[in-house]
Amino acid sequence: MKAEQWMKTMNVIFGDLLTQFDEGEEFAFYKYGPESIHRIGYATNITPDIIRQAADHKIDLIMTHHDAWHFIYGMKEECHDLLRIHGIHHFFVHLPLDYADFGTCPSLLKAIGTDRLIQPSIHHETRSVPGIGEFNLTLTLEELHERMKTVLDEDVRVWKHSNKRIERVGLVTGAGNSTLSIRDAHEAGCDVYITGEKTLYTIQYAQYIGMNLIVGSHTFTEIFGVRSLTEKLSERFPYLEFIELKEAHIE
Protein backbone atom coordinates (compact mmCIF):
# COMPACT_ATOMS: atom_id res chain seq x y z
CA MET A 1 0.00 0.00 0.00
CA LYS A 2 1.22 3.49 -0.81
CA ALA A 3 1.27 5.89 2.12
CA GLU A 4 -0.92 8.28 0.12
CA GLN A 5 -3.65 5.61 0.05
CA TRP A 6 -3.86 5.32 3.83
CA MET A 7 -6.34 8.06 4.69
CA LYS A 8 -8.39 7.36 1.56
CA THR A 9 -8.77 3.79 2.82
CA MET A 10 -9.68 4.96 6.34
CA ASN A 11 -12.37 7.21 4.87
CA VAL A 12 -13.86 4.21 3.07
CA ILE A 13 -13.75 2.03 6.21
CA PHE A 14 -15.06 4.62 8.68
CA GLY A 15 -17.19 6.78 6.40
CA ASP A 16 -18.97 9.63 8.15
CA LEU A 17 -17.44 8.77 11.52
CA LEU A 18 -14.24 10.56 10.51
CA THR A 19 -16.13 13.74 9.70
CA GLN A 20 -17.92 13.73 13.07
CA PHE A 21 -14.73 14.06 15.11
CA ASP A 22 -11.78 16.44 14.95
CA GLU A 23 -8.70 15.31 13.06
CA GLY A 24 -5.67 15.60 15.31
CA GLU A 25 -7.77 15.08 18.43
CA GLU A 26 -9.59 11.84 17.63
CA PHE A 27 -7.64 10.53 14.63
CA ALA A 28 -4.49 11.44 12.73
CA PHE A 29 -1.91 10.03 10.33
CA TYR A 30 1.63 11.13 11.21
CA LYS A 31 3.81 10.57 8.15
CA TYR A 32 7.36 9.67 9.16
CA GLY A 33 7.81 6.37 7.35
CA PRO A 34 8.40 4.93 3.87
CA GLU A 35 6.31 5.61 0.79
CA SER A 36 5.33 1.93 0.54
CA ILE A 37 3.69 0.31 3.57
CA HIS A 38 4.01 -3.46 3.91
CA ARG A 39 4.32 -4.29 7.61
CA ILE A 40 1.94 -2.81 10.19
CA GLY A 41 2.33 -3.08 13.95
CA TYR A 42 -0.70 -2.49 16.14
CA ALA A 43 -1.53 -1.89 19.79
CA THR A 44 -4.03 0.00 21.92
CA ASN A 45 -1.51 2.67 22.98
CA ILE A 46 1.49 4.43 21.47
CA THR A 47 4.47 4.66 23.84
CA PRO A 48 8.26 4.85 23.42
CA ASP A 49 8.43 1.12 24.18
CA ILE A 50 5.88 0.33 21.45
CA ILE A 51 7.91 2.35 18.95
CA ARG A 52 11.13 0.54 19.90
CA GLN A 53 9.34 -2.81 19.47
CA ALA A 54 8.15 -1.65 16.06
CA ALA A 55 11.66 -0.65 15.05
CA ASP A 56 12.94 -4.12 16.09
CA HIS A 57 10.24 -5.71 13.88
CA LYS A 58 11.01 -3.37 10.96
CA ILE A 59 7.48 -1.98 11.04
CA ASP A 60 6.48 0.61 8.42
CA LEU A 61 3.41 1.91 10.25
CA ILE A 62 2.11 1.68 13.82
CA MET A 63 -1.67 1.65 14.18
CA THR A 64 -3.17 2.38 17.60
CA HIS A 65 -6.46 3.26 19.23
CA HIS A 66 -4.97 6.06 21.33
CA ASP A 67 -2.56 8.84 20.56
CA ALA A 68 0.09 9.63 23.17
CA TRP A 69 -1.73 11.50 25.92
CA HIS A 70 -0.68 15.14 26.26
CA PHE A 71 -1.11 14.97 30.05
CA ILE A 72 1.61 12.30 30.31
CA TYR A 73 4.04 15.17 30.13
CA GLY A 74 6.83 14.82 27.60
CA MET A 75 5.81 11.41 26.24
CA LYS A 76 4.06 12.65 23.10
CA GLU A 77 7.13 14.66 22.13
CA GLU A 78 9.42 11.67 22.72
CA CYS A 79 7.15 9.44 20.65
CA HIS A 80 7.31 11.81 17.70
CA ASP A 81 11.10 12.05 18.03
CA LEU A 82 11.39 8.25 17.97
CA LEU A 83 9.01 7.91 15.02
CA ARG A 84 11.20 10.34 13.07
CA ILE A 85 14.43 8.61 14.10
CA HIS A 86 13.17 5.15 13.10
CA GLY A 87 11.21 6.29 10.04
CA ILE A 88 7.83 4.85 11.10
CA HIS A 89 4.37 6.22 10.30
CA HIS A 90 1.76 6.40 13.07
CA PHE A 91 -2.00 6.29 12.67
CA PHE A 92 -4.37 6.46 15.62
CA VAL A 93 -8.16 6.37 15.57
CA HIS A 94 -9.98 6.91 18.84
CA LEU A 95 -13.70 7.79 18.95
CA PRO A 96 -14.42 6.71 15.35
CA LEU A 97 -13.23 3.20 16.30
CA ASP A 98 -15.23 3.27 19.53
CA TYR A 99 -18.43 3.92 17.59
CA ALA A 100 -17.85 1.89 14.41
CA ASP A 101 -20.13 -1.09 13.88
CA PHE A 102 -17.03 -3.31 13.94
CA GLY A 103 -15.23 -1.29 16.62
CA THR A 104 -14.17 -1.67 20.22
CA CYS A 105 -17.58 -2.41 21.72
CA PRO A 106 -19.01 -4.88 19.16
CA SER A 107 -15.63 -6.61 18.96
CA LEU A 108 -15.45 -7.27 22.70
CA LEU A 109 -19.10 -8.32 22.86
CA LYS A 110 -18.34 -10.82 20.10
CA ALA A 111 -15.18 -12.00 21.87
CA ILE A 112 -17.08 -12.83 25.07
CA GLY A 113 -19.61 -14.81 23.07
CA THR A 114 -22.77 -12.74 22.98
CA ASP A 115 -25.17 -13.98 20.33
CA ARG A 116 -26.86 -10.71 19.38
CA LEU A 117 -25.74 -7.11 19.17
CA ILE A 118 -28.75 -5.09 20.33
CA GLN A 119 -26.97 -1.76 19.85
CA PRO A 120 -23.39 -0.60 19.41
CA SER A 121 -21.97 2.03 21.72
CA ILE A 122 -22.98 5.48 20.52
CA HIS A 123 -21.77 9.02 21.14
CA HIS A 124 -24.27 11.24 22.91
CA GLU A 125 -23.59 14.68 24.39
CA THR A 126 -19.83 14.10 24.83
CA ARG A 127 -20.22 10.68 26.44
CA SER A 128 -20.57 7.03 25.50
CA VAL A 129 -23.93 5.30 25.66
CA PRO A 130 -23.29 1.59 26.32
CA GLY A 131 -23.33 -1.03 23.64
CA ILE A 132 -25.68 -3.90 24.44
CA GLY A 133 -25.38 -7.57 23.60
CA GLU A 134 -27.38 -10.63 24.57
CA PHE A 135 -26.68 -14.32 25.17
CA ASN A 136 -29.09 -16.99 23.97
CA LEU A 137 -28.22 -19.10 27.00
CA THR A 138 -27.87 -17.23 30.26
CA LEU A 139 -24.70 -17.42 32.35
CA THR A 140 -23.97 -16.91 36.00
CA LEU A 141 -21.95 -13.82 36.83
CA GLU A 142 -19.14 -16.14 37.93
CA GLU A 143 -19.13 -17.88 34.53
CA LEU A 144 -19.02 -14.57 32.69
CA HIS A 145 -16.22 -13.35 34.96
CA GLU A 146 -14.12 -16.42 34.16
CA ARG A 147 -14.81 -15.93 30.46
CA MET A 148 -13.69 -12.30 30.68
CA LYS A 149 -10.45 -13.30 32.42
CA THR A 150 -9.74 -15.83 29.68
CA VAL A 151 -10.58 -13.50 26.80
CA LEU A 152 -8.63 -10.54 28.17
CA ASP A 153 -5.87 -12.73 29.64
CA GLU A 154 -5.75 -10.61 32.77
CA ASP A 155 -7.05 -10.36 36.32
CA VAL A 156 -10.51 -8.89 35.74
CA ARG A 157 -12.36 -7.45 38.76
CA VAL A 158 -15.97 -8.30 39.59
CA TRP A 159 -18.58 -6.94 42.00
CA LYS A 160 -21.72 -9.04 42.50
CA HIS A 161 -24.71 -6.84 43.30
CA SER A 162 -27.47 -9.14 42.06
CA ASN A 163 -28.19 -12.86 41.82
CA LYS A 164 -29.60 -12.49 38.30
CA ARG A 165 -28.35 -14.80 35.61
CA ILE A 166 -26.72 -12.84 32.82
CA GLU A 167 -28.62 -12.48 29.57
CA ARG A 168 -28.17 -8.80 28.62
CA VAL A 169 -24.76 -7.10 28.82
CA GLY A 170 -24.09 -3.36 28.83
CA LEU A 171 -20.57 -2.36 27.76
CA VAL A 172 -18.43 0.72 27.40
CA THR A 173 -14.84 -0.28 26.68
CA GLY A 174 -11.95 1.74 28.07
CA ALA A 175 -12.96 4.68 30.23
CA GLY A 176 -16.56 3.68 30.92
CA ASN A 177 -16.48 4.65 34.59
CA SER A 178 -19.26 7.24 34.25
CA THR A 179 -22.31 6.67 36.44
CA LEU A 180 -24.38 8.00 33.54
CA SER A 181 -23.31 5.04 31.40
CA ILE A 182 -24.17 2.64 34.22
CA ARG A 183 -27.58 4.29 34.51
CA ASP A 184 -28.09 3.83 30.77
CA ALA A 185 -27.29 0.12 31.09
CA HIS A 186 -29.64 -0.21 34.06
CA GLU A 187 -32.49 1.54 32.24
CA ALA A 188 -31.90 -0.71 29.21
CA GLY A 189 -32.47 -3.79 31.37
CA CYS A 190 -28.88 -5.03 31.44
CA ASP A 191 -27.92 -7.69 33.96
CA VAL A 192 -24.25 -6.67 34.09
CA TYR A 193 -22.19 -3.65 33.16
CA ILE A 194 -18.67 -4.17 31.77
CA THR A 195 -16.00 -1.52 31.31
CA GLY A 196 -12.26 -0.88 31.37
CA GLU A 197 -11.93 1.65 34.19
CA LYS A 198 -13.58 2.40 37.51
CA THR A 199 -13.71 5.00 40.24
CA LEU A 200 -15.19 4.87 43.73
CA TYR A 201 -18.39 6.31 42.26
CA THR A 202 -18.59 3.56 39.62
CA ILE A 203 -18.67 0.93 42.34
CA GLN A 204 -20.96 2.83 44.70
CA TYR A 205 -23.56 3.54 42.04
CA ALA A 206 -23.52 -0.03 40.71
CA GLN A 207 -24.02 -1.28 44.27
CA TYR A 208 -26.81 1.21 44.93
CA ILE A 209 -28.87 0.16 41.91
CA GLY A 210 -28.02 -3.55 42.15
CA MET A 211 -26.01 -3.68 38.91
CA ASN A 212 -23.41 -6.42 38.56
CA LEU A 213 -20.08 -4.92 37.55
CA ILE A 214 -17.06 -6.34 35.71
CA VAL A 215 -13.98 -4.18 35.15
CA GLY A 216 -11.01 -5.13 32.99
CA SER A 217 -8.24 -2.78 31.88
CA HIS A 218 -8.54 0.15 29.49
CA THR A 219 -5.84 -1.37 27.26
CA PHE A 220 -7.16 -4.91 26.97
CA THR A 221 -10.87 -4.14 26.69
CA GLU A 222 -10.05 -2.06 23.60
CA ILE A 223 -7.45 -4.11 21.71
CA PHE A 224 -10.24 -6.15 20.07
CA GLY A 225 -11.38 -3.13 18.08
CA VAL A 226 -7.87 -2.57 16.74
CA ARG A 227 -7.69 -6.24 15.75
CA SER A 228 -10.99 -5.88 13.90
CA LEU A 229 -9.56 -2.92 11.99
CA THR A 230 -6.61 -5.07 10.91
CA GLU A 231 -9.10 -7.59 9.54
CA LYS A 232 -10.81 -4.85 7.52
CA LEU A 233 -7.45 -3.86 6.07
CA SER A 234 -6.50 -7.47 5.33
CA GLU A 235 -9.66 -7.90 3.27
CA ARG A 236 -8.64 -4.99 1.06
CA PHE A 237 -4.88 -5.51 1.05
CA PRO A 238 -4.14 -9.22 1.60
CA TYR A 239 -0.40 -8.69 1.10
CA LEU A 240 -0.09 -6.52 4.23
CA GLU A 241 1.57 -8.12 7.25
CA PHE A 242 0.26 -7.37 10.75
CA ILE A 243 2.14 -7.80 14.01
CA GLU A 244 0.59 -7.18 17.42
CA LEU A 245 2.98 -5.12 19.53
CA LYS A 246 2.93 -6.32 23.11
CA GLU A 247 1.71 -4.17 25.97
CA ALA A 248 2.12 -5.02 29.65
CA HIS A 249 -0.76 -5.55 32.08
CA ILE A 250 0.03 -2.51 34.18
CA GLU A 251 -3.46 -1.30 35.11
Side-chain angles (χ1 to χ4, degrees), residues 182-197:
I182 301 174
R183 185 182 67 179
D184 290 336
H186 180 61
E187 292 178 348
C190 294
D191 306 308
V192 63
Y193 177 72
I194 297 174
T195 187
E197 285 186 4

Side-chain angles (χ1 to χ4, degrees), residues 65-114:
H65 185 39
H66 300 140
D67 196 5
W69 303 109
H70 64 86
F71 46 78
I72 303 179
Y73 304 109
M75 191 175 77
K76 186 167 185 173
E77 292 78 7
E78 182 177 353
C79 284
H80 281 274
D81 287 344
L82 287 170
L83 290 166
R84 289 187 191 96
I85 289 168
H86 294 293
I88 301 172
H89 300 296
H90 176 222
F91 174 74
F92 83 92
V93 56
H94 188 213
L95 293 186
L97 185 60
D98 281 332
Y99 303 126
D101 59 7
F102 63 88
T104 54
C105 177
S107 294
L108 182 53
L109 286 170
K110 180 179 178 181
I112 64 174
T114 58

Side-chain angles (χ1 to χ4, degrees), residues 27-46:
F27 68 95
F29 180 34
Y30 302 120
K31 298 179 183 178
Y32 298 125
E35 179 55 34
S36 293
I37 298 168
H38 298 284
R39 183 174 291 178
I40 296 173
Y42 65 95
T44 302
N45 303 293
I46 184 80

Side-chain angles (χ1 to χ4, degrees), residues 98-101 105-106 109 117-122 129-132 171:
D98 281 332
Y99 303 126
D101 59 7
C105 177
L109 286 170
L117 178 66
I118 305 302
Q119 71 177 34
S121 182
I122 59 174
V129 175
I132 298 173
L171 169 66

Side-chain angles (χ1 to χ4, degrees), residues 224-244:
F224 298 90
V226 188
R227 289 174 184 162
S228 292
L229 181 52
T230 69
E231 293 169 6
K232 294 283 186 184
L233 287 164
S234 290
E235 291 170 3
R236 289 167 170 78
F237 306 97
Y239 57 84
L240 290 176
E241 181 181 359
F242 295 92
I243 297 174
E244 184 169 342

